[in-house]
Amino acid sequence: MSEGEMAALKEEVEEKKKMIATMRNKPWRMKRRLIMLKECQQFVEKFEGALGKGKGRRLYAFKVMMAKKWIKFKRDFENFKTACIPWERKIKEVESHFGSSVASYFIFLRWMYGLNLILFGFVFGLVVIPEVLMGLPYGTIPRKTVPRAEQARAMDFSVLFEFGGYCKYSVLFYGFYNDKRTIGLLQFRLPLSYLLVGIGIFGYSLMVVIRTMARNANEGGDGGEDGAFTFSWKMFTSWDYLIGNPETADNKYASITTSFKESIVDLKEQQKDENIHLRRFLRLLANLLILCTLAGSGYLIYFVVKRSQEFAEKDEEDLTWMEKNEVEFVMSLLGLACPPLFETIAELEDYHPRIALKWQLGRIFALFLGNLYTFLFALFDEVQAKLEREKDIKNATLWAYNEYYNNYTLHHNLTTDIPPPDIDPADVIRGPCWETGVGIEFVKLTVSDIQVSYLTILVGDFLRAVTVRFLNYCWCWDLEAGFPSYAEFDISGNVLGLIFNQGMICGKEKMYDVVIETIDRDLPDFMGTIFSYASNPGLIMPAVLLMVLAIYYLNAVSKAYQQANLDLKKKMQMARDEERNRRNNKASTNQVMKDLEDLLPNKDLIPPPEPEKPEEPPKDQAKGAKSPKVSGKAGSAANGKGVNVQKDVSLAAANPNGAVTSPPRARGANADRGPSPGPGRERSKKPRN
């Protein structure tokens, strides 16, 4: 094959490759695209390996083959990663039928599921496993042993369901872990590990959240809303022409339909007319009602927690199931009933759906956070009571030990090598562990919330949907359009329910005491001095103030950039509108001129316009004049520099002191009275009276 043929073949191969790369942008039917794609791929596979020369032909063919294999491997690996994402196909199906807002809840749920797996790995690997392998086993000390009085019912389901019995004295709760600085042969620092794991969990969670927010902000553009030609863009650019699966096509069709419905709702909300004074009054009334609801919710939680403290002093067998679980039941019921109540009250405000959703999220978040802190404040009294009881039991235990050693000394005449009392750990009187008690309350609260959620789904959603579906044909009114209709998916309530259940309790009275102990005992003295200076309030307060100012400055800069982007988009839109109007006006003006020309009679007899002739310079111009002159070329002067003029003119008046080179003219009747009349300056020549 000659060099010319090789060059032509190489050029044709490159064209085929370009055709393959740009096949998606061709305005062809799918059948023609597939045929052309197959032909181009066959041509490239057949002739691409023949482009090498001499001995390098095989090496070139090998490189081409490896490049294709690498591209295919990357594509298959991306498909594999997509297939490994949990619930991806189901979430796409939900998004196609119910919209992106509903799918966002399941995406958030999947994200929290993965985050909790990582956090569980931290806690399980660095706290639970070291305690199980290197700590004291079950039954060796009292706090790791079920009391003798509770062993008979320690494995009952009713006890385990409330996290008592063996669950209470297991690795699930704080009281099981050792409070020594080091444990095992490896001298593992369990308290320090617990603290660092807590800090690491908080830092990792914060980093993941910030990174996700930044990625979403980058993918979302500049944050400006561009509502121009919304329906045109959705109509002509929504479909994916590479879809080959019928199920995927149905999902895409449903997704486009839902997107149109959402856009129509947004457009209707923008076109509403309202009475501004009535609207302000209703919004003020709605906020007052919601504040009253939040206050009543907090008081109800405080009341039932105080009642639970009274029930705790009674015998457990005398209490009913409702009295034992009153706190969890009330909090779950409030979390279930208040969000729909907020949504009903929000109908008075008549906000745009997007703004209404933000208000609803804020109110539900305030409800959950207020309930949680009210619950904690109400538990403080119970914790103080348990601490006092623990202190009394500790003092009584120390007094009993002293009496034992004194009596042993008197009876055996020994002051050293006194054996400890032979008491089984299950028989030792122990005080209540308040950390374990608080942990059990939170776990019971989480479990009861999950139970109420499942019960709500079963009764409020499933049975309701079955009733509407099968009784709609024989009912007096349309159950789907009227009451009760199908239940809508509460995005805000479900999302904040996940956030509410995402939490962690720390155990020590002051957790940073672990760090202080480690610094004082294990690090050099100068390190302790440095940390003591760093913990000085005189340094911490300016640092916090500086961070607040930095956050405020960055927030202000971000808002300024966002506003600048919006202004720039508006200017670009105005420029496009002006250009479009100019073209439209020009086209309409040209059309009007053509119409006027068509109305003129004998249009063909109109002579063409005569070209303008440049004026000649006067012949009697003084030769010795010093005034600048112009050449015969338009736009140039005597000094050689260009002047932007349209005709040959003198830029200065004639010099009155110049030499006279022509005789004076006679002042007779035939003398010129001035310049001849130009075009448009003709006078009607009538005889004067």
Side-chain angles (χ1 to χ4, degrees), residues 234-353:
K234 290 181 182 296
M235 174 65 71
F236 297 107
T237 63
S238 295
W239 189 256
D240 187 0
Y241 290 93
L242 295 180
I243 293 176
N245 189 0
E247 183 180 356
T248 307
D250 294 338
N251 293 339
K252 187 65 176 179
Y253 173 79
S255 176
I256 295 174
T257 305
T258 307
S259 177
F260 269 103
K261 291 180 181 178
E262 292 176 352
S263 300
I264 292 172
V265 171
D266 291 342
L267 186 60
K268 288 182 179 179
E269 291 292 334
Q270 294 175 2
Q271 296 176 352
K272 278 187 177 179
D273 296 331
E274 60 180 9
N275 187 346
I276 185 63
H277 300 290
L278 178 61
R279 186 58 54 207
R280 288 176 178 174
F281 171 74
L282 292 177
R283 288 175 180 175
L284 179 61
L285 178 61
N287 286 318
L288 288 176
L289 292 176
I290 289 174
L291 287 176
C292 293
T293 305
L294 292 174
S297 172
Y299 175 76
L300 183 60
I301 292 175
Y302 185 83
F303 176 75
V304 296
V305 171
K306 289 298 183 182
R307 275 175 50 111
S308 67
Q309 295 174 5
E310 296 177 359
F311 293 153
E313 298 177 357
K314 299 180 180 179
D315 190 3
E316 188 175 357
E317 297 180 355
D318 298 336
L319 300 176
T320 62
W321 179 86
M322 186 63 187
E323 292 174 345
K324 293 179 182 178
N325 300 276
E326 187 178 26
V327 176
E328 293 79 16
F329 180 77
V330 169
M331 291 192 67
S332 300
L333 189 62
L334 288 174
L336 178 65
C338 287
L341 180 61
F342 289 166
E343 189 173 356
T344 304
I345 297 175
E347 294 293 333
L348 299 174
E349 298 175 322
D350 197 18
Y351 279 122
H352 186 275

Side-chain angles (χ1 to χ4, degrees), residues 27 79 113 149 272 293 348 351 373 423 434 450 546 591 619:
N79 295 334
Y113 178 76
K272 278 187 177 179
T293 305
L348 299 174
Y351 279 122
Y373 276 97
I423 303 177
W434 71 267
I450 294 174
L546 183 62
Q591 185 65 31
K619 297 180 180 180

Side-chain angles (χ1 to χ4, degrees), residues 138-201:
Y138 173 82
T140 54
I141 55 177
R143 58 186 176 84
K144 292 188 176 184
T145 307
V146 178
R148 185 79 63 186
E150 301 178 8
Q151 288 183 358
R153 302 179 65 247
M155 287 298 293
D156 292 352
F157 177 77
S158 59
V159 177
L160 295 176
F161 186 75
E162 295 180 359
F163 296 94
Y166 287 102
C167 289
K168 184 177 180 180
Y169 300 94
S170 65
V171 294
L172 294 177
F173 298 105
Y174 187 83
F176 184 84
Y177 294 89
N178 205 330
D179 58 348
K180 294 182 179 179
R181 296 182 61 251
T182 58
I183 60 173
L185 297 176
L186 300 178
Q187 298 297 308
F188 185 80
R189 302 179 185 273
L190 186 62
L192 182 61
S193 175
Y194 183 81
L195 175 66
L196 295 181
V197 165
I199 297 175
I201 287 175

Side-chain angles (χ1 to χ4, degrees), residues 337-574:
C338 287
L341 180 61
F342 289 166
E343 189 173 356
T344 304
I345 297 175
E347 294 293 333
L348 299 174
E349 298 175 322
D350 197 18
Y351 279 122
H352 186 275
R354 191 175 296 109
I355 300 177
L357 178 61
K358 293 180 180 179
W359 277 98
Q360 182 76 353
L361 287 173
R363 288 161 179 169
I364 297 177
F365 180 76
L367 172 70
F368 286 163
L369 195 64
N371 292 346
L372 181 62
Y373 276 97
T374 305
F375 178 68
L376 286 175
F377 291 149
L379 284 178
F380 284 164
D381 295 337
E382 183 179 355
V383 169
Q384 292 296 331
K386 288 184 177 181
L387 289 176
E388 293 295 332
R389 184 181 175 189
E390 184 178 1
K391 186 182 297 183
D392 294 340
I393 293 176
K394 183 178 181 180
N395 293 333
T397 304
L398 291 176
W399 177 82
Y401 269 102
N402 291 331
E403 289 295 325
Y404 166 77
Y405 287 123
N406 292 333
N407 293 332
Y408 193 91
T409 302
L410 290 175
H411 285 82
H412 298 85
N413 246 347
L414 293 175
T415 57
T416 59
D417 298 334
I418 300 176
D422 187 13
I423 303 177
D424 190 89
D427 299 326
V428 175
I429 301 175
R430 81 275 313 265
C433 180
W434 71 267
E435 296 94 340
T436 300
V438 173
I440 289 176
E441 292 295 330
F442 272 92
V443 173
K444 290 169 64 177
L445 180 62
T446 303
V447 172
S448 64
D449 185 74
I450 294 174
Q451 292 172 352
V452 172
S453 299
Y454 279 110
L455 185 63
T456 305
I457 294 173
L458 180 61
V459 178
D461 295 335
F462 179 73
L463 295 181
R464 179 179 176 181
V466 170
T467 303
V468 173
R469 179 66 178 273
F470 293 101
L471 296 183
N472 190 32
Y473 303 101
C474 57
W475 206 257
C476 302
W477 63 84
D478 190 357
L479 296 179
E480 293 184 359
F483 180 81
S485 73
Y486 290 109
E488 294 184 359
F489 188 79
D490 186 11
I491 303 172
S492 56
N494 286 282
V495 169
L496 289 177
L498 293 176
I499 299 174
F500 175 70
N501 293 328
Q502 185 79 9
M504 185 187 71
I505 303 298
C506 297
K508 249 186 175 321
E509 182 180 0
K510 295 178 180 179
M511 283 303 300
Y512 55 84
D513 289 342
V514 179
V515 179
I516 296 176
E517 292 175 1
T518 304
I519 293 174
D520 292 339
R521 298 182 183 182
D522 298 333
L523 296 182
D525 295 337
F526 73 92
M527 294 292 293
T529 305
I530 293 175
F531 279 104
S532 63
Y533 288 152
S535 61
N536 190 352
L539 294 178
I540 294 177
M541 293 177 64
V544 173
L545 181 62
L546 183 62
M547 287 190 294
V548 171
L549 293 177
I551 292 173
Y552 175 77
Y553 170 75
L554 294 176
N555 189 22
V557 170
S558 175
K559 290 183 178 179
Y561 284 155
Q562 186 176 2
Q563 186 63 34
N565 290 335
L566 292 176
D567 295 339
L568 181 60
K569 291 185 67 175
K570 291 180 180 178
K571 291 180 181 180
M572 294 174 64
Q573 184 66 30
M574 292 174 60

Side-chain angles (χ1 to χ4, degrees), residues 581-594:
N581 295 334
R582 186 182 64 80
R583 288 197 295 264
N584 295 337
N585 294 335
K586 183 177 179 180
S588 60
T589 303
N590 294 338
Q591 185 65 31
V592 170
M593 294 299 296
K594 291 179 181 179

